[in-house]
Amino acid sequence: MRDPHPASPTFFPEDILARKPVLNQSGSPEFVFRVFTNVPEFQALLFTLFLLLYLMILCGNTAIIWVVCTHSSLHTPMYFFLGSLSLLEICYTTDVVPLMLSNIFGAQKPISLASCGTQMFFVTLGSTDCFLLAVMAYDRYVAICHPLHYSLIMTRNLCVQMVLGSLGLALFLSLQLTALIFTLPFCGHHREINHFLCDVPPVLRLACADIHVHQAVLYVVGILVLTVPFLLICISYVFIASTILHMQSAEGRQRAFSTCSSHLTVVLLQYGCCSLVYLRPRSSTSEDEDRQIALVYTFVTPLLNPLIYTLRNKDVKGALRNFIFNKSV
């Protein structure tokens, strides 16, 4: 006969811990980043390589900002946007690289929920680059397709408003996305992030809740940040290419192509890497692949930006050459 008073199920402490997010003593979960390698020799090599790349990024982008600010011949909208882009690259890498370098050697240092959220906010604020590249494409469109009205359209006030507008839009999206992610519960203590920074996709994987809505929001933000500006850039370059092909002067065509090719190279690097991380379906993404791609847009893109614009731009090369020559005399 069935017992009319069945015994209530017994829960052991470990069962309770498995069902609830485990918090540290301060009531907040902590995270640790996955190590690149446990081999001391490789750790020293990676530390030296990443530090060298970081210093080169700082020097290269600082040189661009200095040249743009100190040479009156470069006080034009195009170089104002270029200097703003270099400043953003310095801020992004400074937010990511020092913490990454501090975690290469030895045991991984825990990072608090607040610190991780702060870093994620500034990492996603890097979407300003995408909006700024679209602004630079519009600048090239006006310069090549409407040269007689360029100074009337691209005024100083408009340029400042475009940069501040790009920053404000990125700030709004970054704040909303970061707040949405960190309303999720995170299970366990010292959760390991399979990355070297607190980015949205790897942190989202650690949540112990339904994340379908959060993933949908991430895709919508990714479309707003990547797809829409990229389409505007493509439309701008369709008109630019049409105008260049109808130019009578071979020298004018060469100068226009030279100016646009630098910008297009940076666009392909920036949008290509970011699209692979944020717009790929989750089923086709690999955490290790995301980390490798993130290394590219953390080190390679900020390093190549000043090199591309310096090597392919006669005005910037001339200003740097004059500075070096004057210092050596």
Side-chain angles (χ1 to χ4, degrees):
M1 177 181 292
R2 179 179 298 177
D3 187 355
H5 301 287
S8 59
T10 301
F11 290 101
F12 295 98
E14 55 268 24
D15 296 325
I16 299 174
L17 291 175
R19 292 168 180 262
K20 292 178 63 179
V22 181
L23 304 179
N24 61 13
Q25 294 179 351
S26 65
S28 173
E30 292 181 335
F31 304 93
V32 293
F33 298 109
R34 178 166 295 183
V35 297
F36 284 99
T37 178
N38 289 314
V39 181
E41 291 79 7
F42 287 153
Q43 289 176 344
L45 179 62
L46 287 176
F47 182 87
T48 304
L49 175 62
F50 292 155
L51 178 60
L52 181 61
L53 290 174
Y54 177 55
L55 294 176
M56 292 173 65
I57 289 169
L58 292 182
C59 292
N61 286 284
T62 302
I64 293 291
I65 296 172
W66 181 86
V67 167
V68 170
C69 291
T70 57
H71 286 72
S72 58
S73 61
L74 301 182
H75 291 175
T76 63
M78 182 177 73
Y79 296 110
F80 172 70
F81 296 138
L82 178 57
S84 301
L85 183 64
S86 293
L87 180 60
L88 286 172
E89 299 292 11
I90 291 174
C91 294
Y92 175 82
T93 52
T94 301
D95 176 50
V96 173
V97 177
L99 180 61
M100 183 183 68
L101 291 175
S102 69
N103 283 298
I104 288 182
F105 293 109
Q108 296 296 285
K109 304 175 183 64
I111 179 173
S112 67
L113 182 70
S115 298
C116 188
T118 301
Q119 188 186 56
M120 180 183 290
F121 171 76
F122 285 106
V123 166
T124 52
L125 193 60
S127 59
T128 310
D129 283 8
C130 298
F131 299 128
L132 193 56
L133 288 171
V135 169
M136 295 173 74
Y138 175 73
D139 172 69
R140 292 298 83 207
Y141 160 75
V142 176
I144 294 174
C145 299
H146 304 283
L148 298 180
H149 300 92
Y150 181 75
S151 59
L152 297 176
I153 297 174
M154 300 302 296
T155 62
R156 178 181 294 273
N157 287 338
L158 180 62
C159 293
V160 173
Q161 290 171 5
M162 284 181 167
V163 172
L164 293 180
S166 299
L167 181 61
L169 182 57
L171 182 67
F172 173 77
L173 294 174
S174 177
L175 185 61
Q176 299 300 317
L177 187 60
T178 304
L180 182 67
I181 297 301
F182 283 92
T183 56
L184 287 168
F186 296 97
C187 305
H189 182 68
H190 290 336
R191 297 308 306 265
E192 184 183 65
I193 301 175
N194 188 11
H195 215 294
F196 57 85
L197 57 88
C198 285
D199 203 2
V200 177
V203 173
L204 199 55
R205 293 186 180 103
L206 300 181
C208 54
D210 184 16
I211 59 172
H212 287 91
V213 173
H214 298 75
Q215 286 180 321
V217 172
L218 178 60
Y219 281 123
V220 171
V221 172
I223 290 172
L224 289 174
V225 172
L226 297 171
T227 307
V228 174
F230 185 72
L231 288 175
L232 294 176
I233 291 172
C234 291
I235 293 172
S236 297
Y237 273 101
V238 168
F239 289 104
I240 289 172
S242 176
T243 301
I244 291 176
L245 292 175
H246 287 87
M247 286 183 178
Q248 301 296 326
S249 169
E251 182 180 353
R253 284 197 301 269
Q254 183 179 2
R255 183 185 178 101
F257 273 122
S258 176
T259 302
C260 294
S261 62
S262 302
H263 179 252
L264 276 175
T265 304
V266 175
V267 166
L268 293 176
L269 279 171
Q270 179 76 19
Y271 282 89
C273 292
C274 292
S275 297
L276 288 174
V277 172
Y278 296 105
L279 295 183
R280 282 192 303 174
R282 189 182 181 191
S283 58
S284 65
T285 59
S286 163
E287 295 183 21
D288 291 332
E289 287 179 2
D290 286 351
R291 190 159 69 155
Q292 293 166 5
I293 296 170
L295 282 173
V296 174
Y297 65 73
T298 299
F299 288 104
V300 178
T301 304
L303 180 61
L304 287 182
N305 282 353
L307 291 177
I308 291 171
Y309 281 106
T310 301
L311 295 176
R312 302 188 64 87
N313 191 294
K314 293 181 179 179
D315 295 331
V316 177
K317 281 195 296 185
L320 288 174
R321 191 183 301 114
N322 290 337
F323 169 73
I324 294 172
F325 178 77
N326 291 336
K327 285 292 183 181
S328 61
V329 173

